[in-house]
Amino acid sequence: MTILDGRALSKKIKADVKKDVEILQKENVTPGLAVVLVGADSASATYVNMKSKACKEAGIYSIVHEMPESISQDNILEIIEMMNKNPNIDGILVQLPLPKHIDTTAMLEAIDPKKDVDGFHPYNVGRVVAGLDGYIPATPYGVMKLLEEYKIDPKGKNVCVVGASDIVGKPMAALMLNANATVDICHIYTDDLKAHTLNADIICVGVGKVNLITADMVKDNAVIIDIGVSRLESGKLVGDVDFDNVKEKCSYITPSPGGVGPMTIAMLLKNTVKSAQNRGK
Ligand code: GUN
């Protein structure tokens, strides 16, 4: 069994991003990322802090627009519009989830698709599904990079994606299909999850449910990608996979934390630099 080391690969990608930033700076372009954070969700605040810190380390300018839970939709739209027009901002990211009274789709659709470094605007969703160049959502993009690094080719493989969210599961399935895998997408209404996972050469799970994937659900020598992160009462972070038992059966496995999470941040930086490279075009 080999550990898919997302921490190590994310360091390499961040170093490449930093070099690209230095090249841009010679042309007087400093990539800029604007983050919109609404409300006081502590997990969201932690993620946003991690993104800001990573930007700083890579030489990317970042600004966080923090807004109270009670903010109106129009006020958020005004900020997004301002960032759309700001020539020094290359990427705009609205941290999800948003409070219930806010129409998430309306916020995502307000972002200029050229600055949509999260890849959540329907324009980029469509381009990615069609296999065209566009912004690929950072988490599934990071998974594909991790597989590539370890020379794991999904072509012709049975892939089971567990979790069908717009930001992880659906784009993950699209990328796997575009990589010529045969893809099962499972979700909370799936009747017999085990039947699907047992048939899979590669399992990508991102649900947020501790021990959802146990050793009896995994085929010998499968590749296990754990995208889930949950905090136990003890404070310890764990993924969706029963790591200690599943690791004995599989060929490759990502730890969680330390697998997909660091890759997500690295790919967000990569998308931001890509946008800066296209600035003004
Ligand atoms: N919430 C959870 N993951 C993400 C992400 O990748 N981007 C944004 N904007 N919000 C999230």
Side-chain angles (χ1 to χ4, degrees):
M1 181 277 302
T2 303
I3 296 276
L4 297 169
D5 188 346
R7 272 201 189 110
L9 179 57
S10 73
K11 272 191 197 146
K12 271 204 246 176
I13 292 172
K14 286 196 270 189
D16 289 344
V17 164
K18 197 170 177 173
K19 278 189 207 143
D20 287 341
V21 171
E22 284 162 8
I23 292 168
L24 283 165
Q25 278 169 338
K26 287 195 185 120
E27 300 159 16
N28 287 322
V29 171
T30 297
L33 176 70
V35 178
V36 174
L37 175 61
V38 183
D41 181 75
S42 70
S44 286
T46 303
Y47 289 134
V48 166
N49 278 337
M50 286 161 76
K51 290 171 188 178
S52 301
K53 185 168 161 260
C55 279
K56 199 168 177 193
E57 283 166 4
I60 296 173
Y61 165 77
S62 76
I63 179 161
V64 182
H65 293 276
E66 274 185 70
M67 295 170 216
E69 177 100 18
S70 58
I71 192 106
S72 77
Q73 213 163 273
D74 284 348
N75 285 144
I76 303 176
L77 287 173
E78 275 167 28
I79 296 283
I80 293 174
E81 208 37 58
M82 210 168 76
M83 295 297 122
N84 280 342
K85 290 194 185 124
N86 186 334
N88 296 318
I89 293 297
D90 302 288
I92 303 170
L93 180 163
V94 176
Q95 187 65 29
L96 302 179
L98 289 168
K100 286 208 169 57
H101 68 280
I102 308 286
D103 178 349
T104 300
T105 305
M107 300 305 110
L108 298 178
E109 287 190 311
I111 297 171
D112 180 346
K114 290 196 195 81
K115 297 189 178 188
D116 172 38
V117 290
D118 252 340
F120 295 168
H121 189 292
Y123 175 85
N124 283 308
V125 174
R127 289 193 65 93
V128 168
V129 169
L132 301 171
D133 183 38
Y135 290 108
I136 303 171
T139 300
Y141 191 9
V143 170
M144 297 312 280
K145 280 281 170 202
L146 205 46
L147 293 177
E148 191 184 305
E149 175 74 6
Y150 286 83
K151 302 197 167 33
I152 301 164
D153 185 356
K155 183 174 171 182
K157 297 286 192 314
N158 292 333
V159 173
C160 182
V161 176
V162 186
S165 69
D166 290 336
I167 66 177
V168 177
K170 287 182 195 171
M172 186 79 259
L175 294 177
M176 286 295 187
L177 180 60
N178 290 343
N180 298 310
T182 303
V183 186
D184 274 8
I185 310 171
C186 299
H187 41 76
I188 45 173
Y189 299 112
T190 297
D191 185 29
D192 185 357
L193 177 60
K194 184 173 169 179
H196 292 272
T197 58
L198 264 183
N199 187 44
D201 304 302
I202 303 175
I203 299 174
C204 301
V205 56
V207 171
K209 207 167 162 194
V210 179
N211 286 339
L212 178 66
I213 304 297
T214 46
D216 59 307
M217 298 169 76
V218 173
K219 183 161 98 171
D220 281 340
N221 296 317
V223 175
I224 310 295
I225 307 291
D226 190 351
I227 307 168
V229 188
S230 305
R231 193 176 285 280
L232 300 179
E233 270 182 28
S234 64
K236 187 183 174 202
L237 290 172
V238 295
D240 290 345
V241 176
D242 176 8
F243 183 87
D244 288 339
N245 292 307
V246 170
K247 77 176 189 325
E248 306 300 334
K249 272 186 100 174
C250 60
S251 55
Y252 294 88
I253 188 165
T254 59
S256 180
V260 177
M263 292 300 297
T264 296
I265 301 216
M267 302 328 286
L268 170 68
L269 302 184
K270 201 168 167 60
N271 279 347
T272 304
V273 166
K274 173 177 165 168
S275 179
Q277 287 164 337
N278 289 321
R279 195 187 274 191
K281 285 185 194 150

